[in-house]
């Protein structure tokens, strides 16, 4: 079971990196697009990071369910799962932003994207608190 935990933590770390980095990268992608008039290397890198982390999120989710099953789905795990689903919604919306950026559409301001980026930090803190404290 320790290997499942290790794989879970590793994949969560990779997914979280994308959750934190991609919205911020879109800000710089927009600047690059305005300068070049087309998608440049930063856009390609941002898309690849998002796509790669999608696989990590699936592995993290499956290993998390495996661990939860082994633990008998205690209440704190169910609350954590709800928080993870909220972060998943954030991630999927980020994917919509990436697809729009690939078409040269940047519908939100830099400030909006920064706030959107910080929302995920609060979600991650809530999940970490649930894992460490196990309040339920």
């Amino acid at each position: 079971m320790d290997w499942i935990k290790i794989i879970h933590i590793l994949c969560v770390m990779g997914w979280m990196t994308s959750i934190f980095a991609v919205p911020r990268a879109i800000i710089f992608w927009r600047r690059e697009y305005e300068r070049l008039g087309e998608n440049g290397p930063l856009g390609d890198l941002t898309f690849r990071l998002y796509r790669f982390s999608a696989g990590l999120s699936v592995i993290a989710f499956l290993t998390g369910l495996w661990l939860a099953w082994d633990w008998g789905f205690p209440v704190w795990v169910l609350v954590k799962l709800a928080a993870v689903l909220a972060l998943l919604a954030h991630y999927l919306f980020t994917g919509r932003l990436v697809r729009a950026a690939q078409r040269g559409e940047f519908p939100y301001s830099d400030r909006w994207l920064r706030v959107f980026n910080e929302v995920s930090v609060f979600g991650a803190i809530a999940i970490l608190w649930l894992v460490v404290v196990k309040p339920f």
Side-chain angles (χ1 to χ4, degrees):
M1 200 51 59
D2 288 340
W3 279 107
I4 300 301
K5 285 182 190 177
I6 291 168
I7 292 168
H8 179 70
I9 292 168
L10 182 64
C11 290
V12 166
M13 288 170 39
W15 185 45
M16 287 295 114
T17 299
S18 175
I19 285 176
F20 297 151
V22 171
R24 181 67 80 176
I26 292 172
I27 294 169
F28 297 107
W29 184 354
R30 176 205 320 244
R31 294 175 186 168
E32 180 183 68
Y33 187 87
E34 289 171 354
R35 192 179 82 249
L36 298 175
E38 62 185 14
N39 284 322
L42 185 57
D44 185 53
L45 178 66
T46 304
F47 170 73
R48 289 173 184 266
L49 174 61
Y50 181 83
R51 188 178 59 189
F52 176 73
S53 66
L56 295 176
S57 70
V58 170
I59 296 169
F61 191 75
L62 293 176
T63 55
L65 287 178
W66 186 337
L67 292 168
W69 179 272
D70 190 56
W71 296 330
F73 285 98
V75 174
W76 72 268
V77 170
L78 297 175
V79 175
K80 176 192 171 198
L81 182 58
V84 168
L85 290 175
L87 269 183
L88 178 61
H90 181 280
Y91 180 74
L92 293 173
F93 188 79
T94 302
R96 291 182 66 199
L97 296 175
V98 168
R99 285 187 293 284
Q102 287 179 308
R103 295 187 304 269
E105 301 168 7
F106 298 89
Y108 297 100
S109 69
D110 288 2
R111 176 175 283 170
W112 188 93
L113 287 167
R114 284 187 183 100
V115 171
F116 179 72
N117 188 44
E118 298 307 321
V119 167
S120 62
V121 174
F122 291 112
I125 290 170
I127 291 169
L128 289 171
W129 181 78
L130 286 164
V131 170
V132 172
V133 176
K134 296 176 182 63
F136 308 104

